[in-house]
Amino acid sequence: MEGKTILLVEDNPDHQELTRRALAAADIFMFTVILGEGPEALEFLHAEGAWADRDGKRLPALMLLDLKLGASDGVEILRRVRQDARTKMLPVVLLTSSSSQADISRAYAAGANGYVVKPVDFDEYSSALRAIAAFWLDVNVAP
Amino acid sequence: MTEQPGTHEIPGLVVEPARILRAARLCGAGALALGAVGLLGWIFGIPALQSVLPGLASMKANTAFGLSLCGLALALTGDPAGRLRRPLAATAAVLAILIGSLTLFEFLFALDLHFDQAVFKDSTGSALPYYPRRKAPTTAACLILTGTGLLASSVRSARARACARWAGLAVFAVAVIAATGYVYGVRPVGVVAYHTTQMAVHTAAAFLLLSAGIALSRPTEGWVATVLARDAGGSIARRLLPAAVGVPLVGGLIFHSGQRAGWYGEEFVIAAVVVTTVLLTSAATCAAAARLGRADLRRRASEEELRRLNFELESRVAGRTAELASANRELEAFASAVSHDLVAPLRTVDGFAAALQHDLGPSLGEPATSHVRRIRGAAQLMGARIEALLDLSHVGRVEMKREEIDLSAMARDTGEALRAAEPTRAVDFRVQPGLRASGDARLVRALLDNLVGNAWKFTAKRSPSVVEVGLEPGGAFFVRDNGAGFEPARATKLFQPFERLHAQDEYGGHGIGLATARRIVERHGGEIRAEGVPGAGATFRFTLGG
């Protein structure tokens, strides 16, 4: 997993911290970029604005996207990721609290590669992250 | 009245059929009485009973007998009691036909079989020269027709009963001619008078009664049904018929008596009768038409009202449907908000409690370690409850798609999942093979997960644990276990949300699973029941409608 990056987009600072800990508990010591806002994530991916000095050709191996971000809608961010030729093949897994059927359909319709409901139990959450990382970073062959 | 299958439908009669039948039987009794009067006249030799007034034609003895027979046959119709009734009535009718036929035969072949005088000698002096002691051929024909009509009206064939009605009508026509003859004081003249005796007054009356009785004995068929029907046609008939029949008859009688008094000539009678008839029947027609027109107007108004109400109902239904859809969308949004906004803090609680455990570990010490464990337990339980509540609400809203389900395979899948979740438990899980059901696959799957999951949970303290899924002979599926069971008195309360079978820490669970199970079953139009014995297990039976 050398050189691979995970991009986590999550607006709740508590959950940012918890996800970081859950990744660590799952022995995933990978470079993780954590961003709180959707537009900022887009700037990061396109190497624009605050991230203009980033190498735009280097995309993260996986984007973990929350469905409900403070000001923006996760699905909307996903749609914009898919619209851009540079990022349209980026693996994106939605990591969310909502198990509502409408949200699930909306996410897949917008081009999600996966939809994971975050368990309340921290240990279960950690195992879920381990499974996600194992598949998307190890098993899966990226574009 | 014997209801015949296949008789045409009528919208009910203005008079109860039973009362019409009673009237038919009364007609029969009247005819029987008139016939008996004639017979008595011959037995005791009383001319007044034979011919009512001196000089008028007499009711011959065999006519009297024939009329009595017909009257008897009619009086016996429609009486539900008595098994002898029908053969007796038929015999009487056949005898009447026989008497009429013999007389007609004599007339046709100019024979005298002497049966007219067989019992009573007719000694009355008659002015008529030809066969004075024999009844009129019209009377003979009427006897045959009446007897035939009586026989045919009790037959199952609709065509035969139609013939009976026509026979009755023919008798009516002949009797009316004879009766009006008497009322108008007309004597047969010329060839007719030379060849026949006249029909006696009371014979004509008896035939009128008999013909009316034949028609009335089948009140739900023919013109009786048409006239007495509770519809526009019947209403018109009831208004026009009396005028059509009564005006010419009564008018004729009135103007004719004036002519006899010498006030005017015959031409005036004809003109007067025609004009009266035209005027009065026209008036009756106009009145009936106006009435029908008003009824039609009312009917059209109520049809319009009905259409308006229908339209209103439809638009109201459409409105309610839209409201319901919008309420559903709101609920969906609410569920989504709940799952995010209520569950997210719980995850924080559990996550940081886990962080405490992880970071401090053994140095946390007791009782702090236990407190942290309890915090996490409570957070996780609340998370599970919220999830179960969302499931319950989802099950109520989700669109159903009924399909054929292999219930046995589905139950085995559920069992495998439960086994995988608790590999240390040994449960004897028996699924009856070949169970098939019709239902929404996802909902039924959730139902089985709930019921089998419950059984799994409540057999934890049994050895061996037995969980069975099968179909009862009555058609209900069942999930049975040998677990903790429950008090029978609580069987219905179980299906309410948050109703728990056992103390929280004994078995765990959120208390919403059975409410969800019931909602799934109800959405399929089925039923679910629980049966339990404390300490001996529980059985849940359910059907899936459709």
Side-chain angles (χ1 to χ4, degrees):
Chain A
M1 289 192 237
E2 198 72 17
K4 288 184 179 174
T5 309
I6 294 177
L7 172 62
L8 172 70
V9 188
E10 162 72 78
D11 66 328
N12 183 328
D14 288 348
H15 291 186
Q16 289 177 356
E17 170 68 15
L18 285 174
T19 303
R20 202 198 311 273
R21 290 187 71 101
L23 285 169
D27 301 320
I28 305 165
F29 299 104
M30 194 177 303
F31 183 67
T32 308
V33 179
I34 299 179
L35 298 173
E37 293 298 332
E40 203 188 348
L42 289 173
E43 282 181 0
F44 173 83
L45 288 174
H46 301 152
E48 290 162 354
W51 299 89
D53 53 346
R54 201 182 74 83
D55 177 7
K57 291 203 181 68
R58 283 195 51 186
L59 284 179
L62 178 66
M63 179 174 180
L64 295 174
L65 179 62
D66 191 6
L67 197 61
K68 291 197 172 94
L69 301 163
S72 52
D73 176 20
V75 172
E76 189 48 42
I77 301 299
L78 173 58
R79 214 170 273 136
R80 297 200 9 214
V81 167
R82 288 289 175 250
Q83 276 163 5
D84 196 296
R86 291 167 287 180
T87 53
K88 76 175 183 193
M89 292 199 279
L90 176 72
V92 178
V93 171
L94 281 145
L95 201 56
T96 168
S97 305
S98 169
S99 57
S100 130
Q101 199 61 48
D103 285 340
I104 296 169
S105 308
R106 231 156 48 88
Y108 278 108
N113 297 97
Y115 190 102
V116 175
V117 180
K118 287 186 269 188
V120 170
D121 185 338
F122 177 80
D123 305 327
E124 282 179 27
Y125 182 37
S126 186
S127 338
L129 284 177
R130 185 186 291 128
I132 292 168
F135 177 76
W136 287 105
L137 306 178
D138 272 353
V139 180
N140 186 51
V141 177
Chain B
M1 186 179 78
T2 44
E3 273 299 338
Q4 300 290 348
T7 53
H8 59 274
E9 303 254 335
I10 45 164
L13 302 178
V14 286
V15 186
E16 239 177 279
R19 290 182 62 186
I20 301 172
L21 276 178
R22 215 174 302 141
R25 285 199 292 275
L26 271 178
C27 287
L32 177 61
L34 286 169
V37 162
L39 274 177
L40 285 174
W42 288 104
I43 291 168
F44 299 107
I46 307 166
L49 298 187
Q50 291 167 8
S51 46
V52 185
L53 291 172
L56 291 181
S58 63
M59 182 193 280
K60 301 295 170 282
N62 52 29
T63 304
F65 189 50
L67 287 174
S68 306
L69 288 170
C70 289
L72 177 68
L74 185 58
L76 289 172
T77 45
D79 190 352
R83 216 175 305 155
L84 278 174
R85 170 180 72 84
R86 277 187 72 156
L88 203 61
T91 312
V94 168
L95 275 176
I97 295 172
L98 209 62
I99 290 167
S101 307
L102 281 174
T103 309
L104 212 56
F105 186 73
E106 288 177 328
F107 273 107
L108 284 175
F109 297 101
L111 288 170
D112 194 342
L113 300 175
H114 300 289
F115 88 104
D116 303 293
Q117 307 290 313
V119 185
F120 306 107
K121 286 274 178 259
D122 184 354
S123 52
T124 44
S126 171
L128 299 161
Y130 198 77
Y131 301 136
R133 286 169 284 275
R134 192 180 290 167
K135 61 174 167 291
T138 47
T139 308
C142 280
L143 269 183
I144 297 172
L145 284 170
T146 307
T148 315
L150 285 167
L151 269 184
S153 71
S154 64
V155 168
R156 203 169 278 273
S157 145
R159 190 171 295 178
R161 291 201 303 270
C163 289
R165 285 197 296 276
W166 286 109
L169 200 65
V171 170
F172 180 76
V174 172
V176 164
I177 290 168
T180 46
Y182 281 109
V183 171
Y184 286 66
V186 180
R187 296 295 170 91
V189 289
V191 179
V192 177
Y194 184 76
H195 280 286
T196 67
T197 49
Q198 212 183 349
M199 189 187 273
V201 179
H202 42 348
T203 306
F207 277 129
L208 281 177
L209 284 173
L210 286 170
S211 58
I214 288 174
L216 294 175
S217 67
R218 285 280 168 187
T220 54
E221 296 171 18
W223 35 83
V224 173
T226 307
V227 171
L228 294 183
R230 198 186 294 279
D231 60 10
S235 155
I236 287 289
R238 286 193 295 280
R239 284 184 166 69
L240 289 187
L241 268 186
V245 174
V247 170
L249 282 179
V250 175
L253 187 61
I254 292 169
F255 290 112
H256 185 73
S257 52
Q259 184 209 1
R260 272 196 295 186
W263 297 345
Y264 40 74
E266 200 176 321
E267 293 81 357
F268 180 81
V269 175
I270 294 171
V273 169
V274 167
V275 169
T276 315
T277 305
V278 166
L279 284 178
L280 289 183
T281 47
S282 302
T285 307
C286 283
R291 198 184 151 84
L292 194 65
R294 282 195 299 276
D296 192 47
L297 219 60
R298 278 198 300 275
R299 184 183 54 78
R300 260 188 292 180
S302 58
E303 265 176 14
E304 189 51 48
E305 175 74 2
L306 194 70
R307 247 198 306 276
R308 196 181 59 75
L309 285 175
N310 255 336
F311 177 76
E312 229 177 71
L313 190 70
E314 269 166 33
S315 58
R316 210 178 304 166
V317 166
R320 295 290 298 171
T321 309
E323 270 173 42
L324 215 62
S326 124
N328 244 346
R329 274 195 303 277
E330 256 171 53
L331 261 174
E332 190 76 39
F334 176 71
S336 166
V338 164
S339 62
H340 188 267
D341 298 341
L342 291 191
V343 175
L346 281 178
R347 200 164 32 250
T348 309
V349 171
D350 187 76
F352 284 104
L356 272 182
Q357 280 178 330
H358 184 263
D359 294 352
L360 299 176
S363 66
L364 198 58
E366 284 299 343
T369 307
S370 154
H371 292 167
V372 172
R373 203 180 56 242
R374 288 185 199 184
I375 290 170
R376 290 196 66 191
Q380 286 165 20
L381 179 64
M382 186 165 169
R385 278 191 186 158
I386 290 174
E387 197 188 333
L389 270 181
L390 288 172
D391 275 352
L392 176 63
S393 129
H394 178 71
V395 155
R397 282 176 290 125
V398 71
E399 215 169 290
M400 272 203 10
K401 203 176 84 208
R402 224 179 240 282
E403 57 188 310
E404 193 68 17
I405 297 170
D406 183 346
L407 206 70
S408 300
M410 203 179 253
R412 279 193 292 269
D413 283 352
T414 302
E416 285 312 311
L418 289 163
R419 230 186 263 287
E422 286 180 277
T424 51
R425 281 210 40 207
V427 176
D428 180 3
F429 185 49
R430 305 169 189 166
V431 178
Q432 182 180 324
L435 298 179
R436 305 203 70 81
S438 152
D440 183 287
R442 291 175 66 146
L443 291 182
V444 174
R445 178 66 199 255
L447 171 69
L448 280 182
D449 283 352
N450 269 313
L451 294 181
V452 177
N454 259 351
W456 213 270
K457 191 165 65 187
F458 291 121
T459 50
K461 295 177 181 173
R462 287 283 176 282
S463 180
S465 304
V466 182
V467 177
E468 275 179 278
V469 179
L471 179 67
E472 290 196 323
F477 297 106
F478 67 85
V479 177
R480 181 180 299 137
D481 66 63
N482 67 340
F486 55 85
E487 290 290 337
R490 304 191 52 210
T492 51
K493 284 186 79 181
L494 293 179
F495 295 103
Q496 288 161 13
F498 298 112
E499 195 61 38
R500 301 180 49 80
L501 285 168
H502 299 278
Q504 171 93 40
D505 20 341
E506 199 178 348
Y507 288 102
H510 40 67
I512 300 166
L514 285 178
T516 305
R518 181 176 69 172
R519 191 165 293 180
I520 291 172
V521 165
E522 282 173 353
R523 286 213 59 192
H524 283 83
E527 269 187 273
I528 185 163
R529 279 174 213 283
E531 200 177 281
V533 178
T539 304
F540 288 85
R541 293 183 177 79
F542 66 90
T543 56
L544 290 173

